[in-house]
């Protein structure tokens, strides 16, 4: 997804065509690369619809299951439109340091001629759109069971434009962090640091659920959560593997290390639970899987098998204790642990990539003349600047929206459940 | 007539039902319920924490019977539902004023079997 | 999927190979194109199994959930066989104006040498098979909760042969409508007009459910419906994107406009509900999504981003009021609104493509010497002829089947639910 | 997947590149082939997570639904690690007759340069990993509702190393059976014979469930089973189609015949039930589908459409009566019929391929100088040797594990359900 | 006061409810239950075998009423739930000692409507 | 002994249960039910139409108690379940003839706690 990665993994046939017919080269899409990114686009959308939606929906109470599904569905729709109209342009048009320009409004420049590397620009824009959907959708986990639907929509649209699109531009759109040489293959900073930080801020601004922490109900459906987790795992192949923007060695290795980190993250969590409680749970294993995946994401295109193993281990352990800390000790109601799992995992991976990309760990190596410590400082700066901007902007957006509409539903509605009150539906009927 | 309400363990339903059929009980009604008593609910795990569940799944039987066989029915349930572990449940006996079979309009004991 | 579209989007590498080695050209499959259509085949089958099955199953009462799933599953099986044995031949063999010939019986001509464009013919035939499965499956929505299973099977097989295969031949198999120049990229006429019209006829012939319209039960599981809708969305990428029959610019743009129309259709429906009832529902949003998708389908390979937006808007609004009209006002028990959503959407898109394909709307343009009005008349003729033939044939098929077996289950079975009576199963158990 | 099949279906572009630039040829990945195998990897993982998990979970009682899901999830994780660390090496490294060597420990040899045919070795290793996950996962069906979780994990890891990896080496890794010329395109022997045989042994060693056979409860959720079955069907396109290791004619034909066999297997089962009980069930149809798929698997790359039809018919009928025999007559509690469906189906297909690969059945033909009877004897030997080794090894592994931990849960836990006792979760909540 | 318990077919719930509303009953409580009686459960199919289900789905109504209208209520249920097929269900009548409306603290008959 | 049946709002279950435990009630049985009363069911949306749901979710408590503490129990439920909104529910008090603990065969009041 970065320009770097494209160079590293540029595939042969395009080169071949260029050598044979220089005049045609500019127009050549590679059908194999295109096939894979079309597929990856489907896979990443699948992560949100219904993957993440089910993962989260299973964790809440049954009186809020429809509202969680609706949040995901409505966000997928409204963020797609936002992306088409404005977001894509802010992220990928022009070469400002801090934000793109308005040259790509309404995706007006995309035709059946324009390319991105070896794939049609339409495919690139659609693939990126699926990232612009899932990032704000991740934040849903922080505000389930209490946030007002109108505020959910307004917040997500504003956040996409003020946080996600600029940060994407910084890192992947040729902006400031790209010039620093920040390495973020598939979104440790762009996706997970932003979503995690925003989750923490929104949890603090909204406040706790009425029954938190005394009598939080356990997940109403581990079945739904497990189905969703499985889809996230599958979809993540498209997320990380697709970020190579081609179907070659880069995508293959990214998929392999992604899979390993997921498996190990899940096992770590499972064994900790087994050790502590004597009973490993499926929700725990699924959570560990997500932790492993979030952690490997920024590094997935730069590392080898050992890197995948280490990130799975690190992500599993550290996110487990982060959940304990944030929800257990600090009693912050980031309800489905978005910061502790995605934020912490994404940040961890974004920092460790500086070392794990080294050839000593079978990685692809750093850019010339860059040391691991040097790269680490660059990564750290990237994470910090992103977290600060995200926290500030999230806070301000919420305050502004709070002037126009209630951020939370009333206590009565919260007690009765959001499903009937906000959506006129119940998740499960008797008839 | 008596209206017998028995709260038993779900795993004893099949045997209890079979035992009742054997002594000639040809009708009863079953409800899934949750019980609270000396038997404590199990704990569930959720992301690094254990939650204790106040209620345990139970099954409620309701059987309307002629006074003459009430004791027999109570006894049969008791034996069949017995596992000698906490949580085996209770049997409650209420007076039943009248009964009616909707299909035939029969009343009283005739409505029961 | 049309011959036109193949020409427009023919990809470079095949050309390259042909230039270098003319003698080999006839035998060249393009691996990228093949990879994408293999994937698209999986995606479109996924739309029916379990996508559409869950979408529909969630909308009925829980006592009929198994029967709805079984309809989809059994149709997928029996229609696959019908397609292999006879349907594919009637649709794609020979060059009759009205129907194919028997030259492709049992797919006997398909070998590991035969091609369709740049992909193996086996892949083309399998991809088309998934369309031949989903089209009759769409009609299920008209007769749920009351049609006799034997009649469901008989009807669907006959309908595939008498309606679907010939219409496919007319439009995509080089038949009469292809010669008129009808534009139908992925099935506005072939799939949605036929399914929608048949739904209306079958709803009228079968009659209403016993409790319609006084006490229709709300969907028993918005959760299942949302899962199914998500899968339909993802799968539609293969439906429309795969109809390019190659992995290039054509597929990319088709996917992008498909996605946009889906998102906007859903939003339109959601906001209408919000405005009318104060509470936007997830079933409503999912229905609007389907409306947007059905509407964009015929146009998806010919239009640009503005076209996608317009079709999403148009499909959302018009299908919403079509539901109101058909089910609310006319009291026709097309139970899950197949005509109002698929039929009306598909027809709308089939007509509007005449304008939206213009370069003024960033479309790919019409064929040379064809005006928008001229194309519109062609499209209108295509829709009308197809609708008339579908209505007639559907009616006659039902009458004939009605001579051999009951079309409806008994009232008792309908009241108790089809699941136990027809399939010996219940959807959900306590044990 | 076999070396044979690679030769048969080798694709043109690689050849082309080799002819033009011989010096580059060694390094050429084909982007189309790679795109398809990346996709196939996702599809096969999808078969286990959540496909097979849901298929099986729907068939048990609701008090064990979490445990079944957890078995699949945990196996996917722990077997991935086992595969990466040791399994891949034992299966595919070195050229011993009976087992691979330790040269590929930790996948240390896989770099972004190494290839397998026209795809990156990382992709090949990941694709194979998904087979190494699903094969032990199939066995879960034999021991649901009673096996102790610790024993499940230990057994599966040991079995992967002692049974699956060596057998894979025999057939696909250039070992003894490859030298005999055994034909097994996608796993009739490697996957289904091994899993089926192990299921039978484990069912006998563990013993029956407490309520078997007097009062076995019907499937608690045909809905979940149908969803899982649909995912298995879709995923099997990647399983069989991906085993071509390229996106060309071979993959296309494999997908087509796979689909046909699935459809016919399901129909056969459905019509038998209809005939016997008057009511065709969705669980029955889904079971027939799996039977058809297991049966066609070993043959899928060698046969034509007629072969697919015959294997669907044969698999459907014979597996139906095998279930009757094993569970009904012999009262062996192979609880979800793993041997009767997968084992019997896989063996049947492994034997019939000797005939159906003949050109008389539109197959791709046998190797030169090999007669159908000769091939049949080779296939029979392959099946028998594999079954014997699997049975022995499975038995010994279980006995050894039984020395360290209980193979079964206590009777109390079995009666109360494994979900709470072993995993601290319930599948469905009221709140 | 009387406490009336009626076990009826789920498909008769809507009509029975409507009939009760018509005679002025403004409160009742409904539970999904499973019944065993002369009406035998249907059989289910599972992979080549038929399983018979002992219990059939029923619906239980509970209605607390003043003595004066008890007969009327019983009669109304009987008529509305009647389909003349086996399994139509039963009505049981128990004595009700006292009733209380939680919101207002009203007691006795006042609590009922 | 008395057999107390309380229909309350699901959201009051936890507090009511806690209040009962405090006054020493060590056993009760809970059922999910649907209620019809002055509180009207909410409306649901389905594709351009609103459907009104006749029934609202309620929870039924059943508690067998000694006569001496019956009033206390009723009072405790009333206070804990009270929200002062329509739909708070009812408490019904029936006579209980006898009770039996299945595990120990204890009868009468001894069976209850
Ligand atoms: N006083 C009571 N009133 C109503 N139900 C009760 C009462 N006491 C117990 N129960 C029911 O009986 C079940 C078993 O009671 P418990 O005290 O756990 O065990 P045991 O019956 O062995 O003493 C409880 O779960 C509850 O459903
Ligand atoms: N003695 C009884 N006690 C409690 N419930 C009963 C009794 N007899 C029957 N029932 C309930 O009434 C239902 C209908 O009874 P059944 O004997 O099947 O038909 P019918 O009422 O027409 O005689 C049963 O399913 C069961 O729920
Ligand atoms: N006569 C009755 N018999 C049985 N249950 C009743 C009766 N009246 C009301 N209920 C139950 O009590 C619940 C609350 O009653 P409702 O009239 O809505 O409010 P309130 O109790 O505040 O007057 C109802 O939903 C129903 O379950």
């Amino acid at each position: 997804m970065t320009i770097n990665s494209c160079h590293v993994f540029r595939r042969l046939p395009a080169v071949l065509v260029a050598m044979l017919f220089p005049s045609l080269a500019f127009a050549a899409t590679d059908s194999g690369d295109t096939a894979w990114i079309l597929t990856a686009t489907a896979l990443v959308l699948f992560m949100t619809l219904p993957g993440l939606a089910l993962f989260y929906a299973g964790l809440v109470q049954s009186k809020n299951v429809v509202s969680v599904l609706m949040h995901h569905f409505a966000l997928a729709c409204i963020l797609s439109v936002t992306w088409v109209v404005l977001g894509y342009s802010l992220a990928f048009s022009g070469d400002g340091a801090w934000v793109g320009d308005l040259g790509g409004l309404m995706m007006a420049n995309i035709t059946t001629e324009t390319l991105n590397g070896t794939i049609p620009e339409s495919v690139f824009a659609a693939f990126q759109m699926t990232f612009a959907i899932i990032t704000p959708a991740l934040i849903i986990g922080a505000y389930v069971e209490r946030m007002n639907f109108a505020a959910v929509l307004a917040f997500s649209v504003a956040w996409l434009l003020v946080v996600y699109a600029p940060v994407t531009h910084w890192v992947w759109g040729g902006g400031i962090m790209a010039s620093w040489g920040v390495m973020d293959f598939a979104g440790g900073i762009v996706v997970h640091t932003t979503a995690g930080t925003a989750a923490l801020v929104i949890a603090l601004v909204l406040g706790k659920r009425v029954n938190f922490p005394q009598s939080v109900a356990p997940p109403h459906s581990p079945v739904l959560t497990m189905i969703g987790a499985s889809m996230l795992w599958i979809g993540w192949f498209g997320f990380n593997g697709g970020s190579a923007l081609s179907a070659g060695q880069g995508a293959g290795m990214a998929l392999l290390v992604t899979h390993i980190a997921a498996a190990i993250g899940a096992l770590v969590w499972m064994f900790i639970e087994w050790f502590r409680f004597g009973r490993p749970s499926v929700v725990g294993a699924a959570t560990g899987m997500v932790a492993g995946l979030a952690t490997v994401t920024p590094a997935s295109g730069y590392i080898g098998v050992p890197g995948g193993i280490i990130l799975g281990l690190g992500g599993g352990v550290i996110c487990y204790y982060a959940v304990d800390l944030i929800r257990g000790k600090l009693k912050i109601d980031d309800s489905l642990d978005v910061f502790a799992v995605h934020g912490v995992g994404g940040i961890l991976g974004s920092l460790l990539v500086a070392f794990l990309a080294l050839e000593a760990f079978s990685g692809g190596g750093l850019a010339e003349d860059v040391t691991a410590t040097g790269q680490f400082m660059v990564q750290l700066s990237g994470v910090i600047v992103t977290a600060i901007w995200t926290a500030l902007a999230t806070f301000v957006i919420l305050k502004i929206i709070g002037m126009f509409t209630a951020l939370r539903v009333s206590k009565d509605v919260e007690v009765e459940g959001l499903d009937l009150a906000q959506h006129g539906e119940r998740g499960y009927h008797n008839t | 007539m008596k209206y017998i309400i028995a709260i038993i363990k779900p795993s004893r339903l099949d045997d209890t039902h079979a035992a009742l059929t054997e002594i000639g009980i040809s009708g009863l009604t079953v409800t899934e319920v949750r019980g609270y008593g000396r038997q404590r609910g199990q704990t569930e795990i959720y992301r690094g924490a254990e939650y204790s569940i106040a209620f345990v799944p139970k099954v409620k039987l309701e059987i309307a019977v002629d006074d003459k066989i009430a004791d027999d029915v109570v006894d049969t349930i008791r034996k069949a539902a017995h596992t000698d572990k906490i949580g085996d449940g209770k049997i409650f006996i209420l007076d039943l004023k009248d009964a009616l079979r909707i299909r035939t309009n029969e009343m009283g004991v005739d409505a029961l079997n």
Side-chain angles (χ1 to χ4, degrees), chain A, chain B:
Chain A
M1 180 160 301
T2 66
I3 289 161
N4 291 349
S5 70
C6 293
H7 280 269
V8 174
F9 303 121
R10 186 175 292 287
R11 290 185 47 272
L12 217 75
V15 175
L16 180 69
V17 172
M19 287 161 78
L20 290 167
F21 302 88
S23 63
L24 286 178
F26 73 96
T29 62
D30 180 282
S31 66
D33 293 345
T34 305
W36 172 233
I37 307 307
L38 287 165
T39 305
T41 303
L43 286 170
V44 184
L45 182 58
F46 191 49
M47 287 176 74
T48 307
L49 297 181
L52 187 65
L54 295 177
F55 183 75
Y56 280 174
L59 296 175
V60 301
Q61 292 177 266
S62 60
K63 65 189 177 186
N64 294 315
V65 61
V66 166
S67 91
V68 170
L69 297 179
M70 185 63 173
H71 289 171
H72 288 82
F73 202 87
L75 287 196
C77 296
I78 207 159
L79 297 173
S80 295
V81 175
T82 311
W83 184 251
V84 168
V85 172
L86 189 51
Y88 180 66
S89 188
L90 292 182
F92 289 105
S93 177
D95 39 38
W98 293 103
V99 68
D101 61 25
L102 302 181
L105 235 56
M106 296 281 293
M107 293 195 168
N109 296 335
I110 300 181
T111 71
T112 50
E113 303 295 318
T114 46
L115 291 182
N116 183 298
T118 59
I119 63 170
E121 193 187 352
S122 55
V123 176
F124 176 78
F127 180 64
Q128 286 294 337
M129 178 166 55
T130 59
F131 283 62
I133 291 169
I134 200 169
T135 308
L138 287 172
I139 308 173
I140 292 169
Y143 56 69
V144 291
E145 309 200 295
R146 64 196 184 288
M147 193 158 167
N148 179 25
F149 186 58
V152 166
L153 296 190
F155 169 75
S156 302
V157 169
W159 193 89
L160 181 71
L161 296 173
V162 178
V163 176
Y164 182 78
V167 174
T168 302
H169 184 76
W170 300 350
V171 180
W172 293 335
I176 183 81
M177 292 191 184
S179 69
W180 295 350
V182 162
M183 296 167 81
D184 185 7
F185 192 70
I189 292 174
V190 174
V191 173
H192 296 286
T193 303
T194 59
T197 308
L200 209 54
V201 172
I202 207 165
L204 290 168
V205 171
L206 277 188
K208 307 169 184 190
R209 287 168 291 173
V210 287
N211 53 346
F212 181 91
Q214 319 83 24
S215 61
V216 170
H220 95 278
S221 175
V223 176
L224 290 188
T225 295
M226 187 276 180
I227 299 176
S230 300
M231 291 171 172
L232 284 173
W233 190 334
I234 310 297
W236 226 294
F237 286 0
F239 198 89
N240 288 0
S243 288
L245 294 179
S246 63
Q249 291 282 5
M253 191 55 91
L255 183 150
L256 184 59
V257 299
T258 296
H259 182 90
I260 293 171
I264 293 183
L267 288 176
V268 165
W269 202 289
M270 188 180 94
F271 282 114
I272 297 180
E273 281 192 349
W274 207 339
F275 191 79
R276 280 186 62 179
F277 306 113
R279 292 175 296 168
S281 74
V282 79
V283 168
T287 309
M289 174 210 82
V290 174
L293 287 165
T295 308
V296 81
T297 292
S300 54
Y302 305 117
I303 60 172
V305 170
I309 294 174
I310 293 169
L311 290 171
L313 282 170
V317 172
I318 294 185
C319 294
Y320 184 93
Y321 289 104
V323 168
D324 243 22
L325 178 71
I326 308 267
R327 204 152 47 86
K329 306 260 153 46
L330 301 182
K331 311 271 184 236
I332 297 173
D333 191 10
D334 173 6
S335 311
L336 310 179
D337 307 307
V338 183
F339 178 74
V341 175
H342 291 276
V344 170
I347 290 170
L348 184 69
S350 297
L351 300 179
L352 291 185
V353 66
F355 307 100
L356 298 174
L358 295 175
E359 280 157 35
F361 293 99
S362 308
L366 300 173
E368 241 173 280
D369 295 332
V370 175
T371 65
T373 347
Q375 186 66 43
F376 178 80
M377 294 312 297
V378 167
Q379 298 297 108
L380 191 63
S381 316
V383 165
I384 290 174
V385 170
T386 301
I388 291 176
W389 173 247
T390 302
L392 277 177
T394 302
F395 185 80
V396 171
I397 293 171
L398 286 172
K399 287 297 162 191
I400 294 177
I401 291 173
M403 293 175 189
F404 297 96
T405 181
L407 292 179
R408 276 184 84 133
V409 299
S410 71
K411 202 189 146 198
D412 269 13
V413 167
E414 189 178 340
V415 168
E416 300 302 328
L418 276 63
D419 289 0
L420 264 177
Q422 294 237 303
H423 305 291
E425 294 178 301
R426 285 179 292 157
Y428 311 98
H429 278 257
N430 289 320
T431 50
Chain B
M1 291 171 290
K2 291 281 176 293
Y3 197 77
I4 299 173
I5 300 177
I7 319 283
I8 63 170
K9 289 189 169 163
S11 56
R12 301 310 305 152
L13 174 60
D14 282 349
D15 286 357
T16 307
H17 178 225
L20 287 168
T21 322
E22 236 161 66
I23 63 159
I25 293 300
S26 61
L28 55 86
T29 301
V30 177
T31 317
E32 318 281 334
V33 299
R34 294 183 284 152
Y36 170 78
R38 299 197 186 173
Q39 181 197 9
R40 281 299 126 97
Q42 288 190 264
T43 53
E44 292 190 34
I45 312 283
Y46 173 47
R47 285 193 181 168
E50 278 190 323
Y51 293 81
S52 63
I53 312 297
F55 297 101
V56 279
K58 297 278 168 197
V59 149
K60 180 167 82 170
L61 307 185
E62 288 165 277
I63 318 171
V65 294
D66 190 2
D67 286 318
K68 285 179 288 192
I69 58 166
D71 284 353
D72 203 15
V73 167
V74 168
D75 223 52
T76 305
I77 296 177
R78 188 178 58 76
K79 281 183 194 138
H82 189 93
T83 68
D84 209 17
K85 301 227 180 72
I86 279 191
D88 272 355
K90 319 270 186 218
I91 305 176
F92 303 119
I93 299 134
L94 285 77
D95 257 340
L96 177 61
K97 287 282 142 204
D98 207 349
L100 176 145
R101 190 193 304 277
I102 291 173
R103 176 165 45 95
T104 58
N105 215 356
E106 287 161 289
M107 306 274 305
V109 177
D110 293 342
L112 299 184
N113 37 50

